[in-house]
């Protein structure tokens, strides 16, 4: 009769595992640990097992292994009082399991049980805590990556959509001036306004979809624009009624992608600021050159409007959005970005970035 008690915990484990979706693994582990301790007490009352009862011992060892596995799962998925209570319950049940074969008599027997329980439970607890630590680190890493990606998308929204919208405003202003005197040019301007608006809407729609997407279904981002797209960028700026742009940029393709993309964004933001703050500027110089192992980006206008507020030339731009946000990006690449009044008048943006990374 006493040996039949060895089947009680396996039955509890089977029923509990089949109903874990409803009650949870932690509850199943707690009930199984309590059942194991109850079986031990029942064996004390019904009569201890003999060493010759091998099948009962084998079932008991499988019982201990199952309980320890449940303890690992519990500590991995949950922290707090519930998991601590389960750990104490299963640890106590494992420590008392040898007493199903021997009568507890004196401090030596209690010390033996304590050592057996510690040898079983302590490594299990450490494994469970280690796995939970790995899971927490992975979740933090994923969350940090998602925050960085969403911040990147916010920068895209500011840099590219704001540039397109400011171009639409400039073209609309020029179109109103030409509407009476030169309807043909005005119609061409309004056509470009439509094209720019469609491009801005596409960028805005894509950014919003990315911000709303869960991580599992985030669509792939397209290739980042680089130095090769500077020509079309400056041409669109000049066609929108802005100043004449004199571009001097390298044609080689061995510039690192991150550096080239950052250089492109600096030019976009600088031209947008020219359109906003210096609408009367006649000439904008855009120069992108390799200086040894560094890439230098310089955007300078000839003035013709109220000067934007900002740091003096030579001061490093940090934090915030716009040029300040780009300053943080350039600094992360190991370079510097400065913005201020040029000596010959107008406004100047200058950035220097290493070609080999930080």
């Amino acid at each position: 009769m006493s040996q039949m008690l060895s089947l009680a915990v396996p039955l509890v484990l089977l029923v509990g595992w089949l109903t874990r979706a409803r009650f949870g693994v932690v509850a199943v582990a707690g009930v199984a640990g309590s059942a194991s301790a109850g079986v031990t007490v029942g064996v004390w009352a019904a009569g201890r097992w003999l060493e010759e009862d091998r099948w009962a011992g084998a079932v008991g060892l499988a019982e201990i292994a199952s309980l320890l596995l449940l303890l690992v799962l519990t500590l991995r998925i949950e922290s707090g009082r519930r998991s601590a209570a389960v750990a104490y319950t299963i640890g106590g049940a494992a420590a008392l399991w040898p007493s199903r074969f021997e009568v507890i008599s004196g401090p030596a027997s209690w010390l033996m049980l304590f050592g057996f329980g510690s040898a079983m439970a302590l490594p299990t607890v450490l494994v469970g805590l280690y796995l939970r630590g790995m899971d927490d680190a992975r979740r933090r890493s994923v969350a940090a990556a998602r925050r960085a990606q969403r911040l990147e998308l916010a920068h895209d929204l500011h840099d590219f959509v704001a540039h397109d919208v400011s171009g639409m405003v400039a073209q609309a202003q020029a179109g109103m001036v030409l509407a009476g005197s030169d309807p043909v040019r005005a119609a061409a301007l309004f056509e470009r306004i439509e094209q720019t608006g469609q491009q801005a809407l596409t960028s805005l729609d894509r950014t919003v979809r990315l911000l709303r997407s869960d991580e599992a279904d985030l669509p792939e981002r397209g290739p980042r624009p680089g130095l090769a797209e500077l020509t079309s960028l400056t041409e669109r700026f000049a066609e929108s009624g802005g100043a004449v742009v004199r571009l001097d940029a390298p044609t080689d393709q061995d510039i690192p992608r991150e550096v080239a993309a950052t250089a492109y964004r600096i030019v976009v933001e600088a031209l947008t600021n020219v359109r906003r703050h210096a609408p009367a500027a006649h000439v904008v110089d855009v120069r992108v050159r390799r200086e040894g192992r560094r890439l230098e980006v310089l955007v300078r206008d000839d003035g013709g409007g109220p000067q934007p507020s900002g740091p003096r030339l030579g001061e490093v731009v940090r934090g915030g959005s716009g040029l300040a946000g780009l300053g943080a990006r350039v600094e992360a690449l190991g370079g510097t970005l400065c913005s201020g009044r040029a000596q010959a008048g107008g406004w100047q943006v200058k950035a220097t970035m290493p070609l080999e990374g930080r």
Side-chain angles (χ1 to χ4, degrees):
M1 179 63 185
S2 174
Q3 298 176 9
M4 298 301 296
L5 291 174
S6 62
L7 301 176
V9 176
L11 291 176
V12 171
L13 288 171
L14 178 61
V15 174
W17 189 253
L18 294 176
T19 59
R20 68 186 185 280
R22 178 178 180 182
F23 300 103
V25 175
V26 179
V28 172
V31 171
S34 301
S36 178
V39 167
T40 300
V41 175
V43 170
W44 293 351
R48 285 173 169 79
W49 298 341
L50 302 176
E51 294 185 3
E52 292 78 9
D53 300 328
R54 297 184 175 224
W55 71 271
V59 173
L61 291 176
E63 169 190 328
I64 294 297
S66 301
L67 291 176
L68 295 178
L69 179 60
L70 284 175
L71 179 57
V72 170
L73 295 177
T74 297
L75 294 176
R76 181 176 184 178
I77 65 177
E78 185 170 332
S79 61
R81 295 180 179 178
R82 292 184 63 197
S83 61
V86 170
Y88 282 119
T89 302
I90 292 180
L96 292 174
W97 183 81
S99 66
R100 298 179 185 181
F101 296 90
E102 289 189 22
V103 177
I104 303 175
S105 58
S109 297
W110 286 108
L111 184 61
M112 184 270 295
L113 293 179
F114 177 78
F116 180 82
S118 299
M120 293 289 104
L122 183 58
T124 305
V125 170
L126 294 178
V127 170
L129 294 178
Y130 173 75
L131 293 177
R132 190 174 72 200
M134 291 184 62
D135 291 340
D136 292 342
R138 183 163 51 250
R139 283 191 291 268
R140 288 194 298 268
S141 177
V142 170
R146 295 189 67 183
R147 285 195 299 269
Q149 187 177 41
R150 293 180 188 278
L151 183 60
E152 180 78 12
L153 293 172
H155 284 309
D156 287 348
L157 186 65
H158 175 273
D159 293 344
F160 301 123
V161 177
H163 178 77
D164 291 335
V165 171
S166 64
M168 292 166 56
V169 172
Q171 292 170 357
Q173 293 171 342
M176 288 187 294
V177 174
L178 295 174
S181 59
D182 194 345
V184 176
R185 290 183 60 191
L189 276 177
F190 289 127
E191 183 178 354
R192 284 198 293 269
I193 290 174
E194 180 184 5
Q195 295 173 354
T196 306
Q198 292 291 344
Q199 182 177 347
L201 286 175
T202 301
S203 300
L204 180 61
D205 180 67
R206 179 174 174 275
T207 303
V208 171
R209 282 191 293 107
L210 288 171
L211 290 173
R212 287 178 175 176
S213 299
D214 295 331
E215 187 201 350
D217 57 357
L218 279 176
E220 291 290 335
R221 300 187 63 192
R224 297 180 180 181
L227 301 184
E229 286 75 23
L230 286 179
T231 301
S232 60
L233 171 67
T234 54
E235 289 176 353
R236 292 196 305 269
F237 178 83
E239 291 175 357
S240 67
V244 176
V245 181
R246 297 186 298 203
L247 175 64
D248 180 11
T251 57
D252 54 307
Q253 301 296 323
D254 59 343
I255 304 295
R257 182 180 303 177
E258 187 69 22
V259 175
T262 303
Y264 179 87
R265 297 175 76 124
I266 292 172
V267 176
V268 169
E269 182 64 23
L271 292 179
T272 303
N273 287 340
V274 170
R275 185 179 286 140
R276 288 178 177 176
H277 304 294
H282 298 93
V283 179
V284 179
D285 288 310
V286 178
R287 188 181 69 191
V288 183
R289 291 182 180 176
R290 299 183 62 150
E291 300 291 343
R293 296 183 177 181
R294 305 180 74 83
L295 185 72
E296 182 180 283
V297 182
L298 177 65
V299 182
R300 179 171 52 203
D301 65 80
D302 62 353
Q307 299 298 333
S309 59
R312 294 181 180 275
L313 184 61
E315 293 185 6
V316 178
V317 184
R318 302 175 184 273
S321 60
L323 281 177
L326 288 174
R329 178 191 297 272
V330 171
E331 184 177 346
L333 294 175
T336 58
L337 187 145
C338 307
S339 174
R341 288 182 291 275
Q343 294 180 354
W347 198 259
Q348 173 176 306
V349 176
K350 182 177 180 181
T352 304
M353 293 172 287
L355 294 175
E356 300 177 356
R358 178 177 288 275

